[in-house]
Amino acid sequence: MVPKGKEAVDKSQHCHTCRRQRLRCDGVRPTCNKCVARGVDCLGYGTQALLWVQPQSHDGGALAVRKRESPPQETMFATTTTPTHPAEAARRKKKGRPKLVLMQRTASELAMPNGEGLELTREPKSTHLTAFRREMKLRGFRDEFLQRRKIVLCPGLDPEGYQLQRLLIDSLRYYGDHVCSDLVLFDTPTNPFRVPIEFWSYVPDIVTDPLVSASAVHRISKTQSNLEVAAYVPGYKVRFRRNRLLSIKHPLVAVVFRHQQRMAGALAAMVADPYLCRHRGLLEAITTMILCEVQQSLFGDWDKHLRGAQAIISSRGGVQTLTAEKLSPVNYDICTIMQVTVMRDIGSPSCLLSTKKATLEDFLEHVIPVYQEGWLSAFPCTNFLMSRLICINMARCDDYHDNGGILTKISQRSRLLQEIVAFSPAAWLEARTPDLETMFAARAKDIHNDGTRSALLDLIQSMQMSVMLYAIRTLFLDNGIYALVGEAVEEEDEDEAEATPDGLLPENNNGVIDLRQAEAAAFEVLGASLRRIWAAERNSPDWFGKFTIWPLFVLGMSVDPATEPDETKDFVCRSLLRLGYHMGSMAYKDAIWAIQHTWEREEKTGRSTWLGELPVDIMPGLFFM
């Protein structure tokens, strides 16, 4: 019987693979999920070339071939004049019921799934292949890792290994079309995160396995989030789950864990190889493993991979040695480790701050110059704002270990806050426009369009206001400091004082700055910027709302649940849920749970310290990118 609420797929709508194997098909096109999960070739729903054949005995097949090759007249003459022995006739007797098999595929059917005529056996251009191998060798992959895979063709029934290659090609194409374009500010053909399809047979497993896993999680998340967005109602509560992927019944879940297990095995082999331990390939593999874990859940085991990456950096001579190598347009691995480390401390209560101050100082000195304003990362925070975040985390570490000396540092913290407020997104964009045009070529011309320019300004302003709210909350309000006297402001340069926007640091007649009013003003500006960004949701390929995960989280954590209207809460939760759909990640639901849990506790006990209401035993730190 079919359960209520679920319509059974008509058998005539089943794919040919499920019909042959008598399985219940879900009818998803172009390939059903059941075939993808089982790693078999989905034969589709179109007309198939079929042929009825008989089970062949030892010489029955040869006899059938001779009959087809002989002219009809000779065949008839042979059957009427040649005597047949009874034993031979018994062997030739048809046995069993006829079987339905596929005819052999033509040469055009051996092409890749994209249908663009790029065949499985086609070699890439020698110059392109040489450049690809040179780059992979710089990353630590030896020649044996870059040997071409054995191409498994499929002239008839699928041989072993063919479906895995089809899954790999399909995942690489999906990753290039739907995932890597969201990792940079402007997507271009030179996107450093894109893996060219023509090199699919040369890419090592340690690179392809995480791409297959990430593509599968992306598909699962979009499916689940789409359903939840459609059924969303104000006040919708997200349940806590240690790993959300385990709670989902989807055929691709098995694909995710299978390739993740393969990735872990390959990573262990790299760690055991003394040669690979000295190259960047290991650090890039660990970095990719972290992002795959975070894509599934914020409460997973990604923190242990981060500690391993930090240990490798220390063993290699520190951040300075790695950043000096400059293997790619952006040191993706070291910059990502910096972002994860900084955002982990931002998403942790003070008692869980574990990053050493020396590590943050290394990031501040060596990584920021190659960070390139975050344009080639999933967290396009400017160099200046990222450096201020590092300074705030360093100050939080000092405050936690030396709480009695906070009053002596007020002047220094006031200057830090003034620098953040004095930052001008418009002036920054005006100065960086030539650099944008150099990096993104023709795509950067969109900056001159009013709509794109306004959206980018709103994104940078939302980052600025988020940093300001984070600084006010953690450095002042949580330490019982609610006002700043004019002494700290008078020490600032006149230029910085004039550059401070009106209303963000309001002063009374006595020159006293009320920090709670400053927090409220930054909260209003942040909310207005995010609403403008989300009003143009996916109206263009360069929709910058895909980078608003952290500003949305800060906005939610800055809400006073007792006084703020429900419309603001609903905007935060709905936007995060839709962001999970657009980005294909389950971490956004964990962010919603953390915000809703904080609101619920603060309604009962009043406002607490930064992330102080979250259970300490469930998280290594909330990391958003």
Side-chain angles (χ1 to χ4, degrees):
M1 296 182 61
V2 180
K4 292 184 177 180
K6 295 185 178 180
E7 297 182 0
V9 179
D10 185 15
K11 291 184 178 180
S12 63
Q13 301 299 322
H14 290 189
C15 73
H16 293 287
T17 303
C18 293
R19 293 177 67 182
R20 283 173 51 197
Q21 301 182 7
R22 299 183 180 182
L23 298 176
R24 185 183 297 276
C25 180
D26 55 12
V28 176
R29 297 171 183 263
T31 58
C32 75
N33 290 327
K34 180 160 293 186
C35 290
V36 173
R38 293 167 54 233
V40 300
D41 188 12
C42 183
L43 300 177
Y45 303 87
T47 303
Q48 294 284 312
L50 302 175
L51 177 67
W52 287 98
V53 300
Q54 297 293 337
Q56 297 179 355
S57 58
H58 296 288
D59 57 351
L63 179 61
V65 172
R66 289 196 300 271
K67 285 185 177 182
R68 288 196 298 268
E69 292 178 351
S70 302
Q73 296 83 359
E74 297 179 6
T75 304
M76 292 179 60
F77 180 77
T79 55
T80 56
T81 60
T82 303
T84 303
H85 192 275
E88 184 179 355
R91 287 197 304 270
R92 297 179 185 177
K93 186 178 180 181
K94 297 179 180 179
K95 296 179 180 180
R97 55 185 296 185
K99 295 184 178 179
L100 187 65
V101 300
L102 289 175
M103 294 179 65
Q104 291 190 353
R105 296 178 178 177
T106 62
S108 61
E109 292 177 312
L110 296 178
M112 291 174 59
N114 61 338
E116 297 175 359
L118 184 59
E119 296 181 358
L120 293 172
T121 56
R122 179 180 299 181
E123 284 272 3
K125 295 182 179 180
S126 58
T127 55
H128 297 173
L129 182 58
T130 301
F132 171 76
R133 282 177 165 169
R134 185 187 303 114
E135 180 181 355
M136 297 301 290
K137 286 181 180 179
L138 287 175
R139 296 185 175 184
F141 295 101
R142 294 178 291 188
D143 289 334
E144 53 264 33
F145 284 91
L146 303 177
Q147 296 296 323
R148 195 180 194 197
R149 300 171 185 267
K150 181 180 178 182
I151 307 299
V152 183
L153 298 178
C154 183
L157 297 179
D158 298 339
E160 183 179 2
Y162 175 77
Q163 295 303 331
L164 292 178
Q165 292 187 357
R166 288 289 296 264
L167 177 63
L168 169 60
I169 296 170
D170 179 66
S171 299
L172 288 178
R173 185 165 300 282
Y174 183 89
Y175 173 82
D177 294 340
H178 302 285
V179 180
C180 70
S181 59
D182 289 333
L183 302 179
V184 293
L185 195 65
F186 293 99
D187 186 30
T188 63
T190 59
N191 187 335
F193 301 106
R194 181 173 284 108
V195 179
I197 286 292
E198 62 185 58
F199 301 125
W200 75 271
S201 58
Y202 293 92
V203 182
D205 291 340
I206 190 64
V207 178
T208 58
D209 286 334
L211 297 183
V212 173
S213 176
S215 299
V217 174
H218 197 278
R219 291 178 173 180
I220 295 172
S221 299
K222 288 183 76 70
T223 302
Q224 298 297 316
S225 298
N226 191 29
L227 297 175
E228 295 189 7
V229 167
Y232 179 84
V233 294
Y236 169 80
K237 294 295 182 75
V238 175
R239 297 177 57 186
F240 168 77
R241 294 191 183 277
R242 179 73 65 174
N243 190 330
R244 297 191 179 277
L245 196 61
L246 295 175
S247 63
I248 296 175
K249 295 182 179 180
H250 194 282
L252 287 176
V253 172
V255 176
V256 174
F257 288 115
R258 180 168 64 245
H259 284 80
Q260 194 166 330
Q261 186 176 13
R262 285 163 49 105
M263 180 170 47
L267 185 60
M270 291 183 70
V271 173
D273 191 330
Y275 178 84
L276 290 177
C277 284
R278 299 194 300 268
H279 290 270
R280 294 286 285 273
L282 177 60
L283 192 59
E284 287 195 3
I286 295 177
T287 302
T288 308
M289 191 80 169
I290 293 174
L291 298 182
C292 288
E293 292 276 1
V294 172
Q295 185 190 23
Q296 300 173 29
S297 175
L298 289 176
F299 308 123
D301 296 330
W302 59 267
D303 189 57
K304 64 181 181 183
H305 303 307
L306 176 61
R307 293 194 298 268
Q310 292 171 343
I312 292 175
I313 293 174
S314 299
S315 65
R316 288 288 309 277
V319 176
Q320 182 179 4
T321 304
L322 294 174
T323 54
E325 296 178 1
K326 296 183 179 179
L327 301 182
S328 59
V330 61
N331 285 299
Y332 162 74
D333 50 357
I334 192 67
C335 286
T336 303
I337 294 298
M338 179 198 69
Q339 293 172 4
V340 175
T341 303
V342 173
M343 301 306 293
R344 179 206 182 281
D345 287 347
I346 291 175
S348 301
S350 298
C351 59
L352 292 183
L353 294 177
S354 60
T355 306
K356 297 180 180 179
K357 187 175 180 180
T359 302
L360 295 175
E361 291 175 348
D362 281 346
F363 286 146
L364 193 61
E365 181 179 359
H366 302 293
V367 177
I368 292 299
V370 298
Y371 182 53
Q372 298 183 13
E373 311 290 354
W375 294 332
L376 294 178
S377 73
F379 189 67
C381 186
T382 68
N383 289 352
F384 171 78
L385 293 178
M386 176 59 74
S387 65
R388 298 308 93 186
L389 284 174
I390 295 176
C391 291
I392 295 172
N393 286 345
M394 293 169 60
R396 289 183 65 197
C397 291
D398 291 341
D399 292 346
Y400 180 72
H401 294 97
D402 184 20
N403 189 267
I406 293 178
L407 295 178
T408 63
K409 305 171 185 175
I410 291 181
S411 178
Q412 179 183 1
R413 307 294 164 79
S414 299
R415 286 194 295 270
L416 178 60
L417 180 59
Q418 287 282 346
E419 291 173 356
I420 297 171
V421 176
F423 174 77
S424 173
W428 173 88
L429 184 57
E430 189 68 28
R432 296 298 187 273
T433 298
D435 298 333
L436 279 169
E437 294 177 351
T438 301
M439 179 170 294
F440 297 106
R443 292 300 311 278
K445 293 181 179 179
D446 295 338
I447 292 296
H448 301 290
N449 299 335
D450 293 338
T452 303
R453 187 178 184 85
S454 299
L456 185 55
L457 286 175
D458 283 332
L459 175 64
I460 301 304
Q461 188 176 53
S462 67
M463 293 287 183
Q464 178 194 13
M465 294 299 102
S466 299
V467 176
M468 180 179 173
L469 286 171
Y470 176 59
I472 293 176
R473 180 77 176 272
T474 58
L475 301 184
F476 298 101
L477 299 184
D478 288 352
N479 293 320
I481 301 173
Y482 301 102
L484 295 176
V485 294
E487 176 185 359
V489 179
E490 291 174 0
E491 293 178 359
E492 299 296 328
D493 295 336
E494 294 181 1
D495 294 338
E496 290 186 357
E498 292 177 359
T500 302
D502 296 336
L504 287 181
L505 290 180
E507 299 182 16
N508 59 17
N509 296 331
N510 298 324
V512 177
I513 299 175
D514 189 335
L515 292 176
R516 281 176 289 196
Q517 292 183 8
E519 182 187 31
F523 179 84
E524 292 297 328
V525 175
L526 175 59
S529 299
L530 290 175
R531 283 178 171 83
R532 287 194 297 268
I533 293 174
W534 277 89
E537 182 180 356
R538 284 298 186 189
N539 285 349
S540 67
D542 300 321
W543 177 63
F544 300 121
K546 58 189 178 184
F547 301 119
T548 57
I549 168 62
W550 187 61
L552 283 170
F553 179 76
V554 174
L555 182 68
M557 295 302 298
S558 302
V559 166
D560 187 351
T563 60
E564 195 67 28
D566 293 338
E567 186 275 333
T568 302
K569 301 178 184 177
D570 183 61
F571 168 74
V572 172
C573 296
R574 184 189 294 272
S575 299
L576 287 172
L577 196 61
R578 294 193 64 82
L579 201 55
Y581 166 75
H582 292 308
M583 302 300 292
S585 174
M586 300 182 182
Y588 302 94
K589 297 179 185 177
D590 295 328
I592 298 175
W593 173 85
I595 293 173
Q596 291 179 340
H597 180 82
T598 301
W599 291 342
E600 185 178 357
R601 295 294 299 269
E602 289 184 350
E603 285 179 351
K604 299 178 181 178
T605 60
R607 198 173 192 187
S608 62
T609 58
W610 177 256
L611 301 180
E613 296 296 341
L614 296 182
V616 177
D617 59 331
I618 67 166
M619 63 176 184
L622 298 175
F623 156 55
F624 301 117
M625 275 182 61

